[in-house]
Structure formats: C-alpha cells, structure tokens
C-alpha cells in the first residue's frame, strides 16, 4: 500500500508533465508524467505544497500527486493580517 507524505514542489515542466518534489525530510523525488491526479490542477508551481503517494519497493518512487488544501470550514478561521493578527469580521 502506498505511503502518503507531504512535499514541496521543486520544479515542474508543463510540456512533459514531469517534475521534482522535496519531502519534508529533505529527500528529493522525481514526479513521472501522469502522477498529477485528475481534478487537481494542470500545473504545479515551485514552492507549492502537495501530498505524494510513494511506493517503496526498492527505491522510493512517486505514484500520485495531490494538491494540499485546507479542509472545508477551516479556511476562515486561519485568516490573518500581514502582521499575524487575526482579521476582524
């Protein structure tokens, strides 16, 4: 069963649909073509947070990429101003 881990996009090639991510522990993994799941986005940008599914048969390999999103109903509570203070509503 694949393991899910959070990562940051290090690079993305639109033409080939391939890229590279850095896991939170610093391990770099390639994103083969076709790993970005339908319904996510067509493009990834450098620095974007994602969740990757990793198969680790002999060497770790990414089998799927999902955008990391805020759960519904939580986005409003996390809103803040530039100085870190909560926004007034």
């Amino acid at each position: 069963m694949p393991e899910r881990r959070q990562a940051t996009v290090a690079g993305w090639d639109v033409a080939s649909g391939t890229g590279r991510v850095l896991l939170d522990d610093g391990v770099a993994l390639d994103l083969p073509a076709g790993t970005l799941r339908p319904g996510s986005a067509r493009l990834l940008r450098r620095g974007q947070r994602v969740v990757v599914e990793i198969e680790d048969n002999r060497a770790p390999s990414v089998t799927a990429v999902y955008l990391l999103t805020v759960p519904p109903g939580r986005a409003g509570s996390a809103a803040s101003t530039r100085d870190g203070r909560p926004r007034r509503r």
Side-chain angles (χ1 to χ4, degrees):
M1 179 170 205
E3 173 187 5
R4 286 191 177 192
R5 307 244 330 250
Q6 290 188 21
T8 303
V9 176
W12 178 253
D13 180 7
V14 176
S16 66
T18 61
R20 193 162 179 85
V21 295
L22 291 174
L23 299 178
D24 289 345
D25 62 5
V27 174
L29 295 174
D30 292 326
L31 300 176
T35 55
L36 187 60
R37 295 291 100 186
S40 291
R42 291 186 180 184
L43 306 176
L44 295 176
R45 67 182 191 284
R46 188 178 182 155
Q48 185 170 14
R49 297 288 292 163
V50 293
V51 173
V52 293
E53 284 187 357
I54 301 171
E55 289 284 341
D56 194 4
N57 298 333
R58 291 189 183 173
S61 63
V62 176
T63 58
V65 178
Y66 302 91
L67 298 180
L68 185 61
T69 59
V70 178
R74 305 280 314 252
S77 64
S80 64
T81 60
R82 285 188 178 178
D83 62 6
R85 292 181 297 182
R87 284 189 185 144
R88 292 187 177 173
R89 295 190 183 232

